Amino acid sequence: MKFLAITLITDSADPVSGAPTLARERFREVVDAAVFAEGLGFDGFGVGERHERPFLSSSPPVVLSHIAALTRRIRLFTAVTTLSLLDPVRAYEDYATLDHLSDGRLELMIGKGNGTAQRELFQVTPEDQWERNSEGYELFRRLWREDEVTARPRFRPELTAAEVLPRPFQREVRVWHGSATSRESVDLAARHGDPLFSANVTHPIRPYAELIRHYRERWEHYGHDPAHAVVGAGTAGYHAATTSQRAVAAYRPAFARYLSFHERLGTPPVFPTLEDFVERSSALIGSPQQVIEKVHRYHEEFGHTVLHLQAEPGGLGHEEHRASLELFQSRIAPVLRREIPDPPFSDL
C-alpha cells in the first residue's frame, strides 16, 4: 500500500485565539507540511483545488511548483484539478511546466469539483458541468500526447494544428479520477483505463463501495484487464496515539470543528457524535493496531492500494499532529505496506 498526505489549504484561524492566519503563513505551512511528509516517507503530497470560501487552494500548480523545488522524491498530486471549470489548454500548459520542474513527479487527479460559488464564478451550470469535465479531459489527453492538435470543442474556441508548449517531461502522465458519488467520473476513468480515487470522506462506507464496484464493472466492460484496475481512497480524519483513549480525547477539538462547520451550513451532521464518527466514518482514530484493522476492513470492501491522510492538523495541535504522522510511518505504514499489495505500477 502507498500513502499520500493531502491538503485543501483551508483558510484557518488560530485554534486558541481565533485570530485568522495570514494567507502567506498558510502557504508556508503547506510547504512545510510537504517537506515534512517527504522526510517521513510518504509516497505523495496532494494539493486540492477550490475557488470559494473557506479555501485558499485556487492555484495548485503554483503551490506544487514551489514544493517541487524543495523536495526530491515525493510524488506531487492535484486533489482535484477541476477541469469542468478550466480551459484545458491553459491547464495543460501549467501542468506540463510543473512536470518539468518536478522532474516528472506529477500525478494528476481530476474531477468536476463541488460548490455553487465556484460554479457561478466560472459560469458553469449543474447541467453542463459533467460534459465540461469529460470534454476538458479528452482535449487535455490529446494535448499531452500529440505535438499538434486540431479539435472543435463545445466549451472553448476550436484548435487548428495547435502546438501547445512546453511538451511534457513524462510522455504519459498518470491521471486519477476523483469521485464521491458520480458514476459519470467512474465511467470516464474506466473508459480510459485510468485509476479511480474515491473521496470516501463524507458518508459511511456503502455508497463508496458501490461506486468502486461499478468502476470495476465498467473497467471490464471496456476490455481492460481486471488485475490492472487501481483504486485509491480518502479518509475523513486521522489521529493515532499509543492508546485509543488518548487518540479519541485528542481528536475532540477537530470533531468540534466538524460539528461547527455543519452548524454554519445549517445541515445536520452525518455523524452526530465523535464515537459515531470513529465507528462509522472512514476516519482513522485510535491506537496503531486499531488503525491497521480499520484500513483492512475498508480494503476488503474497496480493494484499494493507495490511501490518503490529512497533511495538516485540522483542529489538532501542530506538534500533536506531526507526532501522529510519525507514529503512522513508524508503526502503521510498515504493516500495511507489507500486508496490502502495492499498486501494479512501479513509479508511485
Side-chain angles (χ1 to χ4, degrees):
M1 182 166 258
K2 302 296 186 188
F3 305 102
L4 319 180
I6 286 183
T7 177
L8 298 181
I9 319 184
T10 306
D11 187 7
S12 63
D14 185 279
V16 178
S17 68
T21 304
L22 296 175
R24 178 184 61 186
E25 295 303 319
R26 280 296 293 121
F27 288 125
R28 287 177 176 173
E29 289 171 356
V30 168
V31 172
D32 287 346
V35 173
F36 183 70
E38 179 173 75
L40 285 182
F42 277 88
D43 301 285
F45 188 88
V47 173
E49 180 179 331
R50 299 290 188 278
H51 300 272
E52 59 187 339
R53 290 184 181 276
F55 306 104
L56 302 177
S57 50
S58 58
S59 187
V62 176
V63 178
L64 290 171
S65 291
H66 189 67
I67 291 171
L70 299 175
T71 57
R72 291 293 176 266
R73 178 197 58 80
I74 199 166
R75 304 288 292 180
L76 304 175
F77 283 71
T78 62
V80 299
T81 295
T82 51
L83 279 180
S84 64
L85 309 180
L86 306 177
D87 179 342
V89 174
R90 191 71 183 103
Y92 164 80
E93 292 173 332
D94 284 343
Y95 286 109
T97 300
L98 171 56
D99 196 35
H100 282 280
L101 293 173
S102 66
D103 294 328
R105 288 184 282 142
L106 173 66
E107 302 258 349
L108 280 167
M109 194 184 300
I110 69 163
K112 72 169 181 62
N114 292 305
T116 301
Q118 65 180 13
R119 281 202 308 267
E120 293 175 350
L121 182 64
F122 288 90
Q123 297 185 341
V124 172
T125 69
E127 292 75 27
D128 68 22
Q129 60 185 349
W130 292 115
E131 190 173 345
R132 285 177 179 272
N133 185 64
S134 178
E135 178 185 283
Y137 180 50
E138 301 284 354
L139 184 52
F140 185 95
R141 280 175 62 89
R142 292 190 60 196
L143 291 166
W144 199 277
R145 289 164 171 77
E146 301 175 25
D147 292 336
E148 292 185 354
V149 173
T150 297
R152 297 185 64 185
R154 176 184 171 192
F155 296 106
R156 62 146 286 125
E158 67 180 82
L159 302 172
T160 303
E163 181 184 33
V164 187
L165 301 174
R167 301 310 302 148
F169 182 90
Q170 300 177 86
R171 178 176 291 273
E172 292 192 16
V173 66
R174 184 159 44 240
V175 179
W176 301 72
H177 294 248
S179 181
T181 57
S182 159
R183 292 199 167 200
E184 290 89 342
S185 291
V186 163
D187 190 79
L188 186 64
R191 188 191 325 155
H192 288 292
D194 293 332
L196 177 71
F197 213 104
S198 170
N200 191 38
V201 297
T202 307
H203 301 286
I205 191 171
R206 179 174 295 177
Y208 304 112
E210 291 175 354
L211 198 70
I212 291 169
R213 282 194 291 272
H214 181 66
Y215 167 69
R216 296 185 188 279
E217 291 168 2
R218 299 306 292 170
W219 179 275
E220 292 192 55
H221 170 80
Y222 286 114
H224 304 303
D225 184 343
H228 293 162
V230 177
V231 173
T235 53
Y238 165 72
H239 186 67
T242 52
T243 67
S244 60
Q245 293 83 357
R246 289 180 179 177
V248 171
Y251 199 80
R252 287 196 182 279
F255 185 74
R257 289 183 60 172
Y258 165 83
L259 294 178
S260 176
F261 175 75
H262 281 278
E263 185 177 355
R264 290 196 302 272
L265 292 179
T267 59
V270 176
F271 308 102
T273 68
L274 176 55
E275 291 70 23
D276 186 41
F277 184 70
V278 171
E279 175 63 27
R280 293 196 305 124
S281 83
S282 61
L284 303 175
I285 302 167
S287 67
Q289 186 58 37
Q290 287 174 314
V291 170
I292 290 167
E293 290 172 359
K294 190 167 188 179
V295 172
H296 270 288
R297 289 201 303 274
Y298 272 69
H299 177 70
E300 289 175 3
E301 295 284 344
F302 293 171
H304 63 306
T305 50
V306 181
L307 178 74
H308 89 50
L309 301 180
Q310 288 66 38
E312 298 189 277
L316 296 165
H318 178 75
E319 295 303 323
E320 191 172 43
H321 178 64
R322 289 202 163 187
S324 181
L325 292 178
E326 290 172 345
L327 186 62
F328 183 88
Q329 286 294 353
S330 64
R331 294 184 54 186
I332 298 170
V335 177
L336 294 175
R337 290 187 195 277
R338 183 173 64 249
E339 295 179 351
I340 298 178
D342 282 346
F345 40 75
S346 60
D347 59 338
L348 178 57

